[in-house]
Every structure is written in structure tokens, then in C-alpha cells.
Amino acid sequence: MTINPSGWRPERALAANDESRDGTFTGNRGLMLEEPLIFEIGDTESCGVDFDAVPAVASRLGGLERSASIGLPGLSEPETVRHYTRLSRQNYAIDLGLFPLGSCTMKHNPRLNERMARLPGFADVHPLQPAETVQGAYELIHVLGEWLIKLTGMKSVAMSPKAGAHGELCGLLAIRSALEARGDARKVVLVPESAHGTNPATAAFCGYSVETIPATKAGRVDRAALEARLGPDVAAVMITNPNTCGLFEREMVEICAAVHAAGALVYCDGANFNAIVGRVRPGDLGIDAMHINLHKTFSTPHGGGGPGAGPVVLSEALTPFAPLPYIEKKGDAFILVEEETADANHSQSFGRMAAFNGQMGMFTRAMSYMMSHGADGLRQVAEDAVLNANYVLRELDDVLDAPFGESGPCMHEALFSDEGLAEGLSTMDIAKALIDEGFHPMTMYFPLVVHGAMLIEPTETESKASLDQFIGALRSVAERARAGDLSLKSAPFYAPRRRLDETGAARKPVLTWQGGKSVD
């Protein structure tokens, strides 16, 4: 079989003796164009622009001049635009279809939010502008913070953390500062195995030893095991609620009381706050610190390298240790409080989390989302997210094993395992076959408490029609996997690339162009 210049050609799910396997001359399929690397389109001897000859001048680089060509390909403007446009068509996004990732939810971002974020007064603000010229931006951050405090029932909020994991770091630093302030530095953080995967890493980054607390057969924190481990060396417990099994931790009040009685504090991973916003206030449960993923609960674009935002709400006990700066209203004006101007309420701040006060674009989108929904609308968001997840769970639990399907209604996400698949077939095969059906795969192999986990979070914005289409596709693949259809081992057949060596890609990544050389 011949290959095109980029070293591959698309293949289809055809019989081995089908003469049409060779496909097209170009490697294209219909209007889905095969796209080589930009280095394979252009060459170093061409240029899309006519430049005058460089005038001879004396070098001031002191011998540091480049001695060889930089090797960049030269393309015309149409060639460059078409290249990147074709690449963009190969990217799957929430604007194209349902994105069933659990835990790391991809949620529709209303266009109204984008319009508000692009208003010049927000989009063009500079973090070093004089305070009197950015009063509107300061007011928005302050009001957003007040809404987050109100929704969570906490005492204060730190707006500067840049993402969820950054928020975890902020919360643990506040906890560590509070313990050290009372002369009680402790060394251990307890993390239930149903918690988010970033929690142990954050605790370790803060210098704590991490110990795991098991989950019960119902998928929740083993309260007895947790209470048995509490002691004078435990600084904090990090709990995700609702947890990564998609379940609400029903004993949170009792757990928080036990942790406090042992002299420790409670950090809650609020990544799944979207399932309970408007229905449960974490502060009422006894939580001391919790980050909020704005992208998941309040519909700003999801991370992917940023810019992100992960505000952290804090209890009264941790408020004096919150990071600086923060925005405060003085009379009719809003001011940015730094170390030298902090009042007694923040006199023990652990320091600064970021250069400036946060991501204005994310704040504007979140505020727009809140104001457009209102209090009743935010409650409806949580209810619809839970309804959609339970619809997925119950429509598929006859063909996919749902290990906690009898533990009560799931919250925001439905969890399945690979139990019942035919020998030789796995969660990975189902995920790859879903690509052929036009869906991005779900979260796989997480949480670790379930073998071959498939974690699906449809969010509140999916219609019944789109859910039914996804359910139909996954049901079809699951039935094939249960029946032992080994062709699934070769999926995907219709994607621009066939199944990749994911282990090799992770352990031996090739991140630079090799000049057309074959790379193992």
C-alpha cells in the first residue's frame, strides 16, 4: 500500500479483499482533506512574501549570529490559511457534538457570555491600570465573589487561583498557615480513594504525607476507616463532594465534625459543585475550604492550558490566612488590597498566589452565566445535570455494568465498569469505537476504585434527543463488546488516524518534526 507524504493513509472498515481499500489518490475522503505537516507543504527555499535584499550592516551580536538556516517552511497566505483551517476541522469540540467526559466536564458556553467578555471595558483592561480607571472591572470581581460566598455559605473568597488544582494549593496553604499559626504543624493529609486525582498531588506538593482512605462498597467514603485514622498528626482531609463515583457524600456533616474534633480541617474539592449549586451550601456541611471550577459550574471555557480560574471559598477560621491581593469596597469605590494595606482580617495572609487578581475574561463569563440564570435558574441547572446523568445511567445499565447503580441516584455523572465485556475486549476498545460513531470518548479508567471505569457526564445542556443519540451509539458498541466482536480491537476505522500506540506516545513522545524520517 502506498502512503502519502505525511506517512499514512486513511483506512476504512472494509473487507480484506475489497479492492477499494486503497482509497483515493490524494488520501482525502469526500471533503475531509488529508493534511500533511506544514513542513511538508512548504519548503525552506520558498517564501510567501517578496522581501528586499538585506542591506549589509555591521553586526552588533558579538559573534552570536545564526550560522545556519532556521529551516522554516515558506508558504503563501492562502496556503497558510487553508492549512490551519483544515487542521481546525479535525478538532472535536463541544460546539460539534456531545462531549461525555466525566470529571473533566466539557460544558456548553453560551454565546452571551462571550459577548459580555469581549466588551472593551473588560477585554482591554490591563492589570497595571490605575484603580480609578478599572472600577467597573473591580466591581464585577467583587460582586462575583459575593455571589460565590452566598452560594457556598462560606465567609470569604480568594479569586486569584488560576485553575482547580491551583485552588487546591491555595486551600491547603491556608490550612497549613492556620495550623502553624496555632503552633500545631501537622504532617499528614488524608485523601479518600473516591476523591479527584489531583488531590494527593497537591497535598504532596505542599509537603504533606498522603494517606488513602478506602471507599465503601456503595462508593462513598468509609467513615469508620476515616475516623479511625484521625489523630494529632493529621492536618486535613481532602474530600470530593459529589465524589468521582458520581455520588453525594451523605455523611459529610458527621465527617466534618469528626475531623474538627481531631483538630484538623476539611478541604472539599468543589469540581463537581455543578451538581449541587443552588441546592446545597458546602459551608453548612462544615467545610473549611473549597475551590470552584468556574468552567464546569458557571460555564466558562474549559482549561486546556488556560486561561483558567479556580476561586477558593474559605470558612471564618481560614479567612485571616487568605492570599493577597483581594478587592474590597470602600464607600463607593473598589480598591485592590495588597500586603501593606491589608486589615486585621487578612493580617496573617500566607502570601500571593498569582501576579495579579485573576482572569478577567473568566470572571466576566461566569458573572454573565449567573445573572442570566438567576438563583432559580442555577438550581435548575443542577437538577437538569443530575436528571441527564441518571437518564444515561438507567438507559444503559442493562448492557453496561453500573457498580454503584444501586447506591441511590447518581449526581452529575454516570459510572460504568468493564464487567461483562467479552474476553479480550476492554474499555479502551469501546472508547475507540465511539469515535467511529462520532463521539469523543468518555473519561476512561478513572476513578480507580472501579475496574475499567467509564465515567460519563452529559451536563445539563444536552437535550433528550442528543442524549438518545449518544445512548444509542454506546448501546450498539456495548452490545458488540458483550457479543465478542473482536473487530472493535481495530477501531477507529473512520477517524483521520487509526488506533495509535498510546503507550509509545506517552513514553516515547516525538514532539519535533523529524524531516520526513520514519520514527518508531
Side-chain angles (χ1 to χ4, degrees), residues 336-419:
L336 192 63
V337 178
E338 298 280 4
E339 184 175 359
E340 58 274 14
T341 55
D343 59 20
N345 291 331
H346 293 79
S347 59
Q348 296 173 285
S349 169
F350 68 75
R352 180 182 288 269
M353 287 294 297
F356 301 108
N357 198 50
Q359 296 291 354
M360 196 66 230
M362 299 298 105
F363 295 158
T364 307
R365 291 178 176 93
M367 194 75 253
S368 177
Y369 185 82
M370 290 182 177
M371 297 185 73
S372 61
H373 280 78
D376 57 338
L378 292 177
R379 181 186 179 93
Q380 186 69 46
V381 164
E383 293 173 345
D384 288 350
V386 173
L387 177 64
N388 282 358
N390 279 276
Y391 184 64
V392 170
L393 178 69
R394 294 309 170 199
E395 288 296 307
L396 289 169
D397 62 3
D398 61 326
V399 291
L400 286 172
D401 175 59
F404 305 127
E406 304 305 320
S407 297
C410 68
M411 299 302 290
H412 53 296
E413 53 195 355
L415 178 59
F416 301 101
S417 80
D418 61 358
E419 179 73 24

Side-chain angles (χ1 to χ4, degrees), residues 129-181:
Q129 278 185 238
E132 61 270 22
T133 68
V134 291
Q135 285 294 294
Y138 279 11
E139 181 175 5
L140 185 145
I141 297 173
H142 182 75
V143 172
L144 175 61
E146 291 293 311
W147 278 53
L148 296 178
I149 292 171
K150 185 78 171 179
L151 286 167
T152 57
M154 303 292 271
K155 177 66 176 180
S156 62
V157 61
M159 299 295 289
S160 58
K162 302 300 185 187
H166 204 213
E168 293 174 28
L169 179 64
C170 173
L172 277 197
L173 289 176
I175 288 173
R176 190 174 72 181
S177 297
L179 293 173
E180 290 176 350

Side-chain angles (χ1 to χ4, degrees), residues 221 223 226-227 230 239 241 248-261 266 268 280-288:
V221 176
R223 180 181 156 196
L226 173 64
E227 292 182 357
L230 290 172
I239 298 178
N241 194 24
F248 185 75
E249 296 288 355
R250 295 170 175 169
E251 298 183 306
M252 202 68 195
V253 172
E254 293 81 3
I255 289 173
C256 290
V259 173
H260 290 157
V266 179
C268 181
V280 177
R281 299 197 313 168
D284 297 338
L285 304 178
I287 290 164
D288 294 291

Side-chain angles (χ1 to χ4, degrees), residues 164 167-168 171-172 175 237-239 265-269 289-291:
E168 293 174 28
L172 277 197
I175 288 173
V237 177
M238 298 183 79
I239 298 178
L265 295 158
V266 179
Y267 183 87
C268 181
D269 188 313
M290 184 183 84
H291 76 264

